[in-house]
Coordinates of all heavy atoms in Angstrom, one line a residue:
M2 N 97.5 100.5 126.5 CA 96.2 100.5 127.2 C 95.6 99.1 127.1 O 95.6 98.5 126.1 CB 95.3 101.5 126.5 CG 93.9 101.6 127.1 SD 92.8 102.7 126.2 CE 93.7 104.3 126.2
D3 N 95.2 98.6 128.3 CA 94.6 97.3 128.3 C 93.1 97.3 127.8 O 92.6 98.4 127.6 CB 94.7 96.6 129.7 CG 93.9 97.3 130.7 OD1 92.9 98.0 130.4 OD2 94.3 97.3 131.9
R4 N 92.6 96.1 127.6 CA 91.2 96.0 127.0 C 90.2 96.7 127.9 O 89.3 97.4 127.4 CB 90.9 94.5 126.8 CG 89.6 94.3 126.1 CD 89.2 92.9 125.9 NE 88.2 92.5 126.8 CZ 88.1 91.5 127.6 NH1 89.1 90.6 127.6 NH2 87.1 91.2 128.4
A5 N 90.2 96.5 129.2 CA 89.2 97.0 130.1 C 89.3 98.6 130.1 O 88.2 99.2 130.1 CB 89.4 96.5 131.5
T6 N 90.5 99.1 130.1 CA 90.6 100.6 130.1 C 90.1 101.1 128.7 O 89.4 102.2 128.7 CB 92.1 100.9 130.3 OG1 92.5 100.4 131.5 CG2 92.3 102.4 130.3
A7 N 90.5 100.5 127.7 CA 90.0 100.9 126.3 C 88.5 100.8 126.2 O 87.9 101.7 125.6 CB 90.7 100.1 125.2
A8 N 87.9 99.8 126.7 CA 86.4 99.6 126.7 C 85.8 100.7 127.5 O 84.8 101.3 127.1 CB 86.0 98.2 127.2
A9 N 86.3 101.0 128.7 CA 85.8 102.1 129.5 C 85.9 103.4 128.8 O 85.0 104.2 128.9 CB 86.5 102.1 130.9
A10 N 87.0 103.7 128.1 CA 87.2 104.9 127.4 C 86.1 105.0 126.3 O 85.5 106.1 126.1 CB 88.6 105.0 126.9
L11 N 85.9 103.9 125.6 CA 84.9 103.9 124.5 C 83.5 104.2 125.1 O 82.7 104.9 124.5 CB 85.0 102.6 123.8 CG 84.0 102.4 122.6 CD1 84.2 103.6 121.6 CD2 84.3 101.1 121.9
R12 N 83.2 103.5 126.2 CA 81.9 103.7 126.8 C 81.7 105.1 127.5 O 80.6 105.4 127.8 CB 81.6 102.6 127.8 CG 81.4 101.2 127.3 CD 80.9 100.2 128.3 NE 81.7 100.4 129.6 CZ 82.8 99.7 129.9 NH1 83.3 98.8 129.0 NH2 83.3 99.8 131.1
S13 N 82.7 105.8 127.6 CA 82.6 107.1 128.3 C 81.8 108.1 127.6 O 81.4 109.1 128.2 CB 84.1 107.7 128.6 OG 84.6 108.2 127.4
G14 N 81.6 108.0 126.3 CA 80.8 109.0 125.6 C 81.7 110.1 125.1 O 81.3 111.1 124.5
D15 N 83.0 110.0 125.3 CA 84.0 111.0 124.9 C 83.9 111.2 123.4 O 83.5 110.3 122.6 CB 85.4 110.4 125.2 CG 86.5 111.3 124.9 OD1 86.5 112.0 123.8 OD2 87.5 111.3 125.6
A16 N 84.1 112.3 122.9 CA 84.0 112.7 121.5 C 85.0 111.9 120.6 O 84.7 111.7 119.4 CB 84.2 114.2 121.3
D17 N 86.0 111.4 121.1 CA 87.0 110.7 120.4 C 86.8 109.2 120.3 O 87.7 108.4 120.5 CB 88.4 111.0 120.9 CG 89.5 110.8 119.9 OD1 89.2 110.5 118.7 OD2 90.7 110.8 120.3
R18 N 85.5 108.8 120.1 CA 85.1 107.4 120.2 C 85.9 106.5 119.1 O 86.2 105.3 119.4 CB 83.6 107.2 120.0 CG 82.9 107.8 121.2 CD 81.4 107.9 121.0 NE 80.8 106.5 120.8 CZ 80.4 105.7 121.8 NH1 80.5 106.1 123.0 NH2 79.9 104.6 121.5
S19 N 86.2 107.0 118.0 CA 86.9 106.2 117.0 C 88.3 105.8 117.4 O 88.7 104.7 117.3 CB 87.0 107.0 115.7 OG 87.6 106.2 114.7
T20 N 89.0 106.7 118.1 CA 90.3 106.4 118.6 C 90.2 105.4 119.7 O 91.0 104.4 119.8 CB 91.0 107.7 119.1 OG1 91.1 108.6 118.1 CG2 92.3 107.4 119.8
H21 N 89.2 105.5 120.6 CA 89.0 104.6 121.7 C 88.6 103.2 121.1 O 89.0 102.2 121.7 CB 87.9 105.1 122.6 CG 88.2 106.3 123.3 ND1 89.5 106.6 123.9 CD2 87.5 107.4 123.6 CE1 89.5 107.8 124.4 NE2 88.3 108.3 124.3
A22 N 87.8 103.2 120.1 CA 87.4 101.9 119.5 C 88.6 101.2 118.9 O 88.7 100.0 119.0 CB 86.3 102.1 118.4
A23 N 89.5 101.9 118.2 CA 90.7 101.3 117.6 C 91.6 100.8 118.8 O 92.1 99.7 118.7 CB 91.4 102.3 116.8
A24 N 91.7 101.5 119.9 CA 92.5 101.1 121.0 C 91.9 99.8 121.6 O 92.7 98.9 122.0 CB 92.6 102.2 122.0
Y25 N 90.6 99.8 121.7 CA 89.9 98.6 122.3 C 90.2 97.4 121.4 O 90.6 96.3 121.9 CB 88.4 98.9 122.4 CG 87.7 97.6 122.7 CD1 87.6 97.1 124.0 CD2 87.0 96.9 121.7 CE1 87.0 95.9 124.3 CE2 86.4 95.7 122.0 CZ 86.3 95.2 123.3 OH 85.7 94.1 123.6
L26 N 90.0 97.5 120.1 CA 90.3 96.4 119.2 C 91.7 95.9 119.2 O 92.0 94.7 119.3 CB 89.9 96.7 117.8 CG 88.4 96.6 117.4 CD1 88.1 97.0 116.0 CD2 87.9 95.1 117.6
R27 N 92.6 96.9 119.2 CA 94.1 96.5 119.3 C 94.4 95.7 120.6 O 95.1 94.7 120.6 CB 94.9 97.7 119.2 CG 95.1 98.2 117.8 CD 96.2 99.2 117.6 NE 96.4 99.5 116.2 CZ 95.8 100.5 115.6 NH1 95.0 101.4 116.2 NH2 96.1 100.7 114.3
A28 N 93.8 96.2 121.7 CA 94.1 95.6 123.0 C 93.5 94.2 123.0 O 94.1 93.2 123.5 CB 93.5 96.4 124.1
L29 N 92.3 94.0 122.5 CA 91.6 92.8 122.5 C 92.3 91.8 121.6 O 92.6 90.6 122.0 CB 90.1 92.9 122.0 CG 89.3 91.7 121.8 CD1 89.1 91.0 123.1 CD2 88.0 92.1 121.2
L30 N 92.7 92.2 120.4 CA 93.4 91.3 119.5 C 94.8 90.9 120.0 O 95.3 89.8 119.8 CB 93.4 91.8 118.1 CG 92.0 92.1 117.5 CD1 92.2 92.7 116.1 CD2 91.2 90.8 117.4
A31 N 95.5 91.9 120.6 CA 96.8 91.7 121.1 C 96.8 90.6 122.2 O 97.7 89.8 122.3 CB 97.4 93.0 121.7
N32 N 95.8 90.7 123.0 CA 95.6 89.7 124.1 C 95.4 88.3 123.5 O 96.0 87.3 124.0 CB 94.4 90.1 125.0 CG 94.3 89.2 126.2 OD1 95.3 89.0 126.9 ND2 93.2 88.6 126.4
C33 N 94.6 88.2 122.4 CA 94.4 86.9 121.8 C 95.7 86.4 121.1 O 95.9 85.2 121.1 CB 93.3 87.0 120.7 SG 91.7 87.3 121.4
L34 N 96.5 87.3 120.6 CA 97.7 86.9 119.9 C 98.9 86.8 120.9 O 100.0 86.3 120.4 CB 98.1 87.9 118.8 CG 97.1 88.0 117.7 CD1 97.4 89.2 116.8 CD2 97.2 86.7 116.8
G35 N 98.8 87.2 122.1 CA 99.9 87.2 123.0 C 101.0 88.2 122.7 O 102.2 87.9 122.8
T36 N 100.6 89.3 122.2 CA 101.5 90.4 121.8 C 101.1 91.7 122.4 O 100.2 91.7 123.3 CB 101.6 90.4 120.3 OG1 102.7 91.3 119.9 CG2 100.4 90.9 119.6
T37 N 101.6 92.8 122.0 CA 101.3 94.1 122.4 C 100.4 94.8 121.4 O 100.5 94.5 120.2 CB 102.5 95.0 122.7 OG1 103.3 95.1 121.5 CG2 103.3 94.3 123.8
P38 N 99.5 95.7 121.8 CA 98.7 96.4 120.9 C 99.4 97.1 119.7 O 98.8 97.1 118.6 CB 97.9 97.4 121.7 CG 97.9 96.8 123.1 CD 99.2 96.1 123.2
D39 N 100.6 97.6 119.9 CA 101.3 98.2 118.8 C 101.7 97.2 117.7 O 102.1 97.7 116.6 CB 102.5 99.0 119.3 CG 103.5 98.2 120.0 OD1 103.1 97.3 120.8 OD2 104.7 98.5 119.9
H40 N 101.6 95.9 117.9 CA 101.9 94.9 116.9 C 100.6 94.4 116.2 O 100.7 93.5 115.3 CB 102.6 93.8 117.5 CG 104.0 94.1 117.9 ND1 104.4 94.3 119.2 CD2 105.1 94.2 117.1 CE1 105.7 94.6 119.2 NE2 106.2 94.5 117.9
V41 N 99.5 95.0 116.4 CA 98.2 94.6 115.8 C 97.8 95.6 114.7 O 97.8 96.8 114.9 CB 97.1 94.5 116.9 CG1 95.8 94.2 116.2 CG2 97.4 93.5 117.9
T42 N 97.5 95.1 113.6 CA 97.1 95.9 112.4 C 95.6 95.9 112.3 O 95.0 94.8 112.5 CB 97.8 95.5 111.1 OG1 97.3 96.3 110.1 CG2 97.4 94.0 110.7
L43 N 95.0 97.0 112.0 CA 93.6 97.1 111.8 C 93.2 97.1 110.3 O 92.1 97.3 109.9 CB 93.0 98.3 112.5 CG 93.1 98.3 114.0 CD1 92.5 99.6 114.6 CD2 92.5 97.1 114.6
E44 N 94.2 96.9 109.4 CA 94.0 97.0 108.0 C 93.3 95.7 107.4 O 92.7 95.7 106.4 CB 95.3 97.2 107.3 CG 95.7 98.7 107.3 CD 96.3 99.1 108.7 OE1 97.0 98.3 109.3 OE2 95.9 100.2 109.1
R45 N 93.5 94.6 108.1 CA 93.0 93.3 107.5 C 92.0 92.7 108.5 O 92.1 92.8 109.7 CB 94.1 92.3 107.3 CG 95.2 92.8 106.3 CD 96.3 91.8 106.1 NE 96.9 91.4 107.3 CZ 97.5 90.3 107.5 NH1 97.7 89.4 106.5 NH2 98.1 89.9 108.6
P46 N 91.0 91.9 107.9 CA 90.0 91.2 108.8 C 90.7 90.1 109.5 O 91.8 89.7 109.2 CB 89.0 90.7 107.8 CG 89.5 90.9 106.4 CD 90.7 91.8 106.5
L47 N 90.0 89.6 110.5 CA 90.6 88.5 111.4 C 90.9 87.3 110.6 O 91.9 86.7 110.8 CB 89.6 88.2 112.5 CG 89.3 89.3 113.5 CD1 88.2 88.8 114.5 CD2 90.5 89.7 114.2
E48 N 90.0 87.0 109.6 CA 90.2 85.8 108.8 C 91.5 85.8 108.1 O 92.3 84.9 108.0 CB 89.0 85.7 107.8 CG 89.0 84.5 107.0 CD 87.7 84.5 106.1 OE1 87.6 85.3 105.2 OE2 86.8 83.7 106.4
A49 N 91.9 87.0 107.6 CA 93.2 87.2 106.8 C 94.4 87.2 107.7 O 95.5 87.1 107.3 CB 93.1 88.5 106.0
Q50 N 94.1 87.4 109.0 CA 95.2 87.4 110.0 C 95.5 86.0 110.6 O 96.3 85.9 111.6 CB 95.0 88.5 111.1 CG 95.0 89.9 110.5 CD 94.9 90.9 111.5 OE1 95.6 90.9 112.5 NE2 94.0 91.9 111.3
G51 N 94.7 85.0 110.2 CA 94.9 83.7 110.7 C 94.2 83.3 111.9 O 94.5 82.2 112.5
F52 N 93.2 84.1 112.3 CA 92.4 83.7 113.5 C 91.5 82.5 113.1 O 90.9 82.6 112.1 CB 91.6 84.9 114.0 CG 92.3 85.9 114.8 CD1 92.9 87.0 114.1 CD2 92.5 85.8 116.1 CE1 93.6 88.0 114.8 CE2 93.2 86.8 116.8 CZ 93.8 87.9 116.2
D53 N 91.4 81.5 114.0 CA 90.5 80.4 113.7 C 89.1 80.7 114.2 O 88.9 81.7 114.9 CB 91.0 79.1 114.3 CG 91.1 79.1 115.9 OD1 90.4 79.9 116.5 OD2 91.9 78.3 116.4
S54 N 88.1 79.9 113.9 CA 86.7 80.2 114.2 C 86.5 80.2 115.7 O 85.6 81.0 116.2 CB 85.8 79.2 113.5 OG 86.1 77.9 113.9
V55 N 87.2 79.4 116.4 CA 87.0 79.4 117.9 C 87.4 80.7 118.5 O 86.7 81.3 119.4 CB 87.7 78.2 118.5 CG1 87.7 78.2 120.0 CG2 87.1 76.9 118.0
T56 N 88.5 81.2 118.1 CA 89.1 82.5 118.6 C 88.1 83.6 118.2 O 87.8 84.5 119.0 CB 90.5 82.7 118.1 OG1 91.3 81.6 118.5 CG2 91.1 84.0 118.7
V57 N 87.7 83.6 116.9 CA 86.8 84.6 116.5 C 85.5 84.6 117.3 O 84.9 85.7 117.7 CB 86.5 84.5 114.9 CG1 85.4 85.5 114.5 CG2 87.8 84.7 114.1
A58 N 85.0 83.4 117.6 CA 83.8 83.3 118.4 C 84.0 83.9 119.8 O 83.1 84.6 120.3 CB 83.3 81.8 118.5
G59 N 85.1 83.7 120.4 CA 85.5 84.2 121.7 C 85.6 85.8 121.6 O 85.1 86.5 122.5
I60 N 86.1 86.3 120.5 CA 86.2 87.7 120.3 C 84.9 88.3 120.2 O 84.6 89.4 120.8 CB 87.1 88.0 119.1 CG1 88.6 87.7 119.4 CG2 87.0 89.5 118.7 CD1 89.5 87.7 118.1
S61 N 84.0 87.7 119.5 CA 82.6 88.2 119.4 C 81.9 88.3 120.7 O 81.2 89.2 121.0 CB 81.8 87.2 118.4 OG 80.5 87.6 118.3
V62 N 82.1 87.2 121.5 CA 81.5 87.2 122.9 C 82.0 88.4 123.7 O 81.3 89.1 124.4 CB 81.7 85.9 123.6 CG1 81.3 85.9 125.1 CG2 80.9 84.8 122.9
L63 N 83.4 88.6 123.7 CA 84.0 89.6 124.5 C 83.5 91.0 124.0 O 83.2 91.9 124.9 CB 85.5 89.5 124.4 CG 86.1 88.3 125.1 CD1 87.6 88.3 124.7 CD2 85.9 88.4 126.6
I64 N 83.4 91.2 122.7 CA 82.9 92.5 122.3 C 81.4 92.8 122.8 O 81.1 93.9 123.3 CB 82.9 92.6 120.7 CG1 84.3 92.6 120.2 CG2 82.1 93.8 120.2 CD1 84.5 92.5 118.7
E65 N 80.6 91.7 122.7 CA 79.2 91.9 123.2 C 79.2 92.2 124.7 O 78.5 93.0 125.2 CB 78.4 90.7 122.9 CG 76.9 90.9 123.3 CD 76.0 89.9 122.7 OE1 76.4 88.9 122.0 OE2 74.8 90.1 122.9
E66 N 80.0 91.4 125.5 CA 80.1 91.6 126.9 C 80.7 93.0 127.3 O 80.1 93.7 128.2 CB 81.0 90.6 127.6 CG 80.3 89.2 127.6 CD 81.3 88.1 128.2 OE1 82.5 88.4 128.4 OE2 80.8 87.0 128.3
D67 N 81.7 93.4 126.6 CA 82.4 94.7 126.9 C 81.6 95.9 126.5 O 81.6 96.9 127.2 CB 83.8 94.8 126.3 CG 84.8 93.8 126.9 OD1 84.5 93.2 128.0 OD2 85.8 93.6 126.3
L68 N 81.0 95.8 125.3 CA 80.5 97.0 124.6 C 79.0 97.0 124.3 O 78.4 98.0 123.9 CB 81.2 97.3 123.3 CG 82.7 97.4 123.5 CD1 83.4 97.6 122.1 CD2 83.1 98.6 124.4
G69 N 78.4 95.8 124.5 CA 76.9 95.7 124.2 C 76.6 95.6 122.7 O 75.5 95.9 122.3
V70 N 77.6 95.3 121.9 CA 77.4 95.2 120.4 C 77.6 93.8 120.0 O 78.6 93.2 120.2 CB 78.5 96.1 119.7 CG1 78.3 96.0 118.2 CG2 78.4 97.5 120.2
R71 N 76.5 93.3 119.3 CA 76.6 91.9 118.8 C 77.0 91.9 117.4 O 76.4 92.5 116.5 CB 75.2 91.3 118.9 CG 75.2 89.8 118.6 CD 73.9 89.1 118.7 NE 73.4 89.5 120.1 CZ 72.1 89.5 120.4 NH1 71.2 89.1 119.5 NH2 71.7 89.8 121.6
V72 N 78.1 91.2 117.1 CA 78.7 91.1 115.8 C 78.8 89.6 115.5 O 79.5 88.9 116.1 CB 80.1 91.8 115.6 CG1 80.5 91.7 114.2 CG2 80.1 93.2 116.1
P73 N 78.0 89.1 114.5 CA 78.0 87.7 114.2 C 79.4 87.3 113.8 O 80.2 88.0 113.2 CB 77.1 87.6 113.0 CG 76.2 88.7 113.1 CD 77.0 89.9 113.7
I74 N 79.7 86.0 114.1 CA 81.1 85.5 113.9 C 81.5 85.6 112.5 O 82.6 86.0 112.2 CB 81.1 84.0 114.5 CG1 80.9 84.0 116.0 CG2 82.5 83.4 114.1 CD1 80.5 82.6 116.5
T75 N 80.7 85.2 111.6 CA 81.1 85.2 110.2 C 81.4 86.6 109.7 O 82.3 86.9 109.0 CB 80.0 84.6 109.2 OG1 78.8 85.3 109.5 CG2 79.8 83.1 109.5
E76 N 80.6 87.6 110.1 CA 80.9 89.0 109.8 C 82.1 89.5 110.4 O 82.9 90.2 109.8 CB 79.7 89.9 110.2 CG 79.8 91.3 109.6 CD 78.6 92.1 109.8 OE1 77.5 91.6 110.0 OE2 78.7 93.3 109.7
L77 N 82.3 89.1 111.7 CA 83.5 89.6 112.4 C 84.8 89.0 111.7 O 85.8 89.7 111.6 CB 83.5 89.1 113.8 CG 84.6 89.4 114.8 CD1 84.8 90.9 114.8 CD2 84.4 88.8 116.1
A78 N 84.7 87.8 111.3 CA 85.9 87.2 110.6 C 86.2 87.8 109.3 O 87.4 87.9 109.0 CB 85.6 85.7 110.4
R79 N 85.2 88.3 108.6 CA 85.4 88.9 107.2 C 85.4 90.4 107.1 O 85.9 90.9 106.1 CB 84.4 88.3 106.3 CG 84.5 86.8 106.2 CD 83.6 86.2 105.2 NE 83.8 84.8 105.1 CZ 82.8 83.9 105.1 NH1 81.6 84.3 105.2 NH2 83.1 82.6 105.1
T80 N 84.9 91.1 108.1 CA 84.8 92.5 108.1 C 86.2 93.1 108.3 O 86.9 92.7 109.2 CB 83.8 93.0 109.1 OG1 82.6 92.5 108.9 CG2 83.7 94.5 109.1
G81 N 86.5 94.1 107.5 CA 87.8 94.8 107.7 C 87.7 95.5 109.1 O 86.7 96.0 109.5
L82 N 88.8 95.4 109.8 CA 88.8 95.9 111.2 C 88.7 97.4 111.2 O 88.2 97.9 112.2 CB 90.1 95.4 111.9 CG 90.1 93.9 112.1 CD1 91.4 93.5 112.8 CD2 88.9 93.4 112.9
G83 N 89.0 98.1 110.2 CA 88.7 99.6 110.1 C 87.2 99.8 110.1 O 86.7 100.7 110.9
E84 N 86.5 99.0 109.4 CA 85.0 99.1 109.4 C 84.5 98.7 110.7 O 83.5 99.4 111.2 CB 84.4 98.2 108.3 CG 82.9 98.3 108.2 CD 82.4 97.4 107.1 OE1 83.1 97.1 106.1 OE2 81.2 97.1 107.2
L85 N 85.0 97.7 111.3 CA 84.6 97.3 112.6 C 84.8 98.4 113.7 O 84.0 98.6 114.6 CB 85.2 96.0 113.0 CG 84.8 95.4 114.4 CD1 83.3 95.1 114.4 CD2 85.6 94.1 114.6
T86 N 85.9 99.0 113.6 CA 86.2 100.2 114.5 C 85.2 101.2 114.4 O 84.7 101.7 115.4 CB 87.6 100.8 114.1 OG1 88.6 99.8 114.3 CG2 87.9 102.0 115.0
R87 N 84.8 101.6 113.1 CA 83.7 102.6 112.9 C 82.4 102.1 113.5 O 81.7 102.9 114.2 CB 83.6 102.9 111.5 CG 84.7 103.7 110.9 CD 84.5 104.2 109.5 NE 84.5 103.1 108.5 CZ 85.6 102.5 108.1 NH1 86.8 102.9 108.5 NH2 85.6 101.5 107.2
L88 N 82.1 100.8 113.3 CA 80.8 100.2 113.9 C 80.8 100.3 115.4 O 79.9 100.8 116.0 CB 80.7 98.8 113.5 CG 79.6 98.0 114.2 CD1 78.3 98.3 113.7 CD2 79.9 96.5 114.1
L89 N 81.9 99.9 116.0 CA 82.0 100.0 117.5 C 81.9 101.4 118.0 O 81.3 101.7 119.1 CB 83.3 99.3 118.0 CG 83.4 97.8 117.7 CD1 84.7 97.2 118.3 CD2 82.2 97.0 118.3
A90 N 82.6 102.3 117.3 CA 82.6 103.7 117.8 C 81.2 104.3 117.7 O 80.8 105.1 118.6 CB 83.5 104.6 116.9
S91 N 80.3 103.9 116.8 CA 79.0 104.4 116.7 C 78.0 103.6 117.5 O 77.0 104.2 117.9 CB 78.5 104.5 115.3 OG 78.4 103.2 114.7
A92 N 78.2 102.4 117.8 CA 77.2 101.5 118.4 C 77.5 101.1 119.9 O 76.6 100.6 120.5 CB 77.0 100.3 117.6
A93 N 78.7 101.3 120.4 CA 79.0 100.9 121.8 C 78.1 101.6 122.8 O 77.9 102.8 122.7 CB 80.5 101.1 122.0
R94 N 77.7 100.8 123.7 CA 76.9 101.4 124.9 C 77.8 102.4 125.6 O 79.0 102.2 125.8 CB 76.6 100.2 125.8 CG 75.2 100.1 126.2 CD 75.0 99.0 127.2 NE 76.1 98.3 127.8 CZ 76.4 97.0 127.7 NH1 75.6 96.2 127.0 NH2 77.4 96.5 128.2
T95 N 77.2 103.4 126.1 CA 77.9 104.4 126.9 C 77.6 104.0 128.4 O 76.7 103.3 128.7 CB 77.5 105.8 126.7 OG1 76.1 106.0 127.0 CG2 77.7 106.2 125.2
D96 N 78.4 104.5 129.3 CA 78.2 104.2 130.7 C 76.9 104.8 131.2 O 76.4 104.4 132.3 CB 79.4 104.8 131.6 CG 80.6 104.0 131.4 OD1 80.5 102.7 131.2 OD2 81.7 104.5 131.6
E97 N 76.3 105.7 130.5 CA 75.0 106.3 130.9 C 73.9 105.4 130.6 O 72.7 105.7 130.8 CB 74.8 107.7 130.3 CG 75.7 108.8 130.8 CD 77.1 108.7 130.1 OE1 77.2 108.3 128.9 OE2 78.1 109.1 130.8
G98 N 74.2 104.2 130.0 CA 73.2 103.2 129.7 C 72.7 103.4 128.3 O 71.9 102.5 127.8
E99 N 73.0 104.4 127.6 CA 72.6 104.6 126.2 C 73.6 103.9 125.3 O 74.7 103.6 125.6 CB 72.6 106.1 125.8 CG 71.8 106.9 126.7 CD 72.0 108.4 126.4 OE1 72.9 108.7 125.6 OE2 71.3 109.2 126.9
A100 N 73.1 103.5 124.1 CA 74.0 103.0 123.2 C 74.3 104.1 122.2 O 73.6 105.0 122.1 CB 73.3 101.8 122.4
G101 N 75.5 104.0 121.6 CA 75.9 105.0 120.7 C 74.8 105.8 119.9 O 73.8 106.1 120.5
V102 N 75.0 106.0 118.7 CA 74.0 106.8 117.9 C 72.7 106.1 117.7 O 71.7 106.6 117.9 CB 74.7 107.1 116.5 CG1 73.7 107.8 115.7 CG2 75.9 108.0 116.7
D103 N 72.8 104.8 117.4 CA 71.5 104.1 117.0 C 71.2 102.9 117.9 O 70.4 102.1 117.6 CB 71.7 103.5 115.6 CG 71.8 104.6 114.6 OD1 71.1 105.6 114.7 OD2 72.7 104.5 113.7
G104 N 71.8 102.8 119.1 CA 71.6 101.7 120.0 C 72.5 100.5 119.7 O 73.2 100.5 118.7
P105 N 72.4 99.5 120.5 CA 73.3 98.3 120.2 C 72.9 97.7 118.9 O 71.7 97.7 118.5 CB 72.9 97.3 121.3 CG 72.4 98.2 122.4 CD 71.7 99.4 121.7
V106 N 73.9 97.3 118.2 CA 73.6 96.7 116.8 C 73.5 95.2 116.9 O 74.4 94.5 117.4 CB 74.8 97.1 115.9 CG1 74.6 96.5 114.5 CG2 74.9 98.6 115.8
D107 N 72.4 94.7 116.4 CA 72.3 93.2 116.2 C 72.4 93.0 114.7 O 71.5 93.2 114.0 CB 70.9 92.8 116.7 CG 70.7 91.3 116.6 OD1 71.6 90.6 116.0 OD2 69.8 90.7 117.1
R108 N 73.6 92.5 114.3 CA 73.9 92.3 112.9 C 73.7 90.9 112.5 O 74.1 90.5 111.5 CB 75.3 92.8 112.7 CG 75.6 94.2 113.3 CD 76.3 95.1 112.5 NE 77.0 94.8 111.4 CZ 77.3 95.7 110.5 NH1 77.0 97.0 110.7 NH2 78.0 95.4 109.4
S109 N 72.9 90.1 113.3 CA 72.7 88.7 113.0 C 71.6 88.5 112.0 O 71.3 87.4 111.7 CB 72.4 88.0 114.3 OG 71.3 88.4 114.9
R110 N 70.9 89.5 111.6 CA 69.8 89.3 110.7 C 70.2 89.5 109.3 O 71.1 90.1 108.9 CB 68.7 90.3 111.0 CG 68.1 90.1 112.4 CD 67.0 91.0 112.7 NE 66.9 91.0 114.1 CZ 66.5 92.0 114.8 NH1 66.2 93.1 114.2 NH2 66.5 92.0 116.1

């Protein structure tokens, strides 16, 4: 599944948001790595997978554009991707204009 399709599935409001969030992250990271989503692990944070700060900044921007969730670069680099998957599943904007359970998350404070 490509990034746009995975983001659309996550925004759909479908009950399986956690699966869609994981698919979205795998597609996004696979694109950055030049590989396929099945080669991306969600067990380690980006920092531990060798992503540099410029790439992490780009990933942060894409997440905000695609899902309406702002994740600060330092947190994105260090947060376990399993935890990030849960965050995106609960906070991503739906196509109906609502944000997940608690609205878009501004984690910059």
Side-chain angles (χ1 to χ4, degrees):
M2 178 181 305
D3 66 26
R4 187 181 107 226
T6 303
L11 181 54
R12 290 190 315 268
S13 73
D15 183 323
D17 202 9
R18 292 174 62 86
S19 184
T20 299
H21 297 316
Y25 169 78
L26 277 176
R27 281 193 173 93
L29 176 61
L30 299 178
N32 187 49
C33 292
L34 293 169
T36 188
T37 59
D39 57 323
H40 287 103
V41 174
T42 180
L43 296 181
E44 282 73 41
R45 297 183 308 158
L47 297 178
E48 190 174 69
Q50 295 185 50
F52 283 91
D53 64 24
S54 60
V55 173
T56 304
V57 173
I60 291 168
S61 177
V62 168
L63 291 172
I64 290 171
E65 186 168 5
E66 288 175 355
D67 291 346
L68 305 176
V70 179
R71 185 177 312 158
V72 183
I74 297 165
T75 55
E76 186 170 342
L77 180 59
R79 295 186 180 131
T80 299
L82 294 178
E84 182 180 335
L85 183 58
T86 298
R87 288 186 292 282
L88 167 75
L89 296 180
S91 68
R94 232 184 5 241
T95 64
D96 284 334
E97 291 81 31
E99 301 172 356
V102 175
D103 298 319
V106 174
D107 180 354
R108 309 224 350 161
S109 63
R110 296 182 203 152

